Amino acid sequence: MAEPQLLPGNRFRAYRATGQTPEFVCLATSITLTITNAYEDATVADCDNPLETPWRKSVKSSSSWGGRFSGSIAADHLDDFRADVSSEDAVPYQFQVDRNAAGGGGKWAGNVFYENFEITKNNNGIVSFTAQLRGDGPLVWTDASA
């Protein structure tokens, strides 16, 4: 088995994709993308062996996704965050794996609503933020170019 190529943290990035060129969320030092599948379950008996304990059988019923990022905030970046938080329409975002296609690179893209946006300060320190995103509709993967 080939040795894996590890992905440094700066190679997984979030982008706000509202304009012609997606804008890197450069203040985010922690980024999470979560894809969740929901299932309906049934207990299926073995008709050829009725004394056998039945097994659970699952059927995928839906998929959802969301994300979270956090970091330090700069005042000149608050306008974009405020606009996205107050938007009644979903806002396009991307989560990029910065590698070529052979190295597993590409990007997930989809629309999000902000579930919450929190700004915090501790002991007169640097102001930090955390954003929780809720995916709206599909999350589409596109392979990187060669």
Side-chain angles (χ1 to χ4, degrees):
M1 185 161 95
E3 186 174 316
Q5 294 181 0
L6 300 180
L7 185 66
N10 64 350
R11 296 285 184 153
F12 179 59
R13 296 188 298 271
Y15 288 85
R16 181 177 185 262
T18 57
Q20 293 285 53
T21 303
E23 179 183 339
F24 173 45
V25 184
C26 66
L27 302 172
T29 55
S30 174
I31 300 169
T32 302
L33 174 63
T34 303
I35 302 169
T36 304
N37 295 318
Y39 296 88
E40 293 179 10
D41 294 332
T43 303
V44 180
D46 182 347
C47 295
D48 294 331
N49 187 357
L51 298 178
E52 181 71 28
T53 302
W55 289 94
R56 175 182 65 203
K57 183 68 178 167
S58 299
V59 177
K60 190 176 185 180
S61 60
S62 68
S63 294
S64 63
W65 66 279
R68 182 174 59 252
F69 47 78
S70 62
S72 299
I73 192 72
D76 62 347
H77 284 70
L78 278 172
D79 288 348
D80 289 343
F81 287 127
R82 278 197 314 267
D84 292 351
V85 168
S86 64
S87 178
E88 292 185 15
D89 297 317
V91 181
Y93 270 78
Q94 298 175 1
F95 296 85
Q96 181 179 2
V97 176
D98 187 7
R99 291 282 174 112
N100 61 23
K107 67 182 174 191
W108 285 278
N111 294 326
V112 301
F113 286 107
Y114 272 68
E115 288 189 307
N116 62 55
F117 182 73
E118 180 178 82
I119 300 175
T120 60
K121 168 186 91 75
N122 187 2
N123 196 21
N124 291 321
I126 297 190
V127 176
S128 300
F129 75 95
T130 301
Q132 179 72 36
L133 312 173
R134 173 188 186 98
D136 184 55
L139 179 65
V140 178
W141 172 261
T142 302
D143 288 329
S145 56

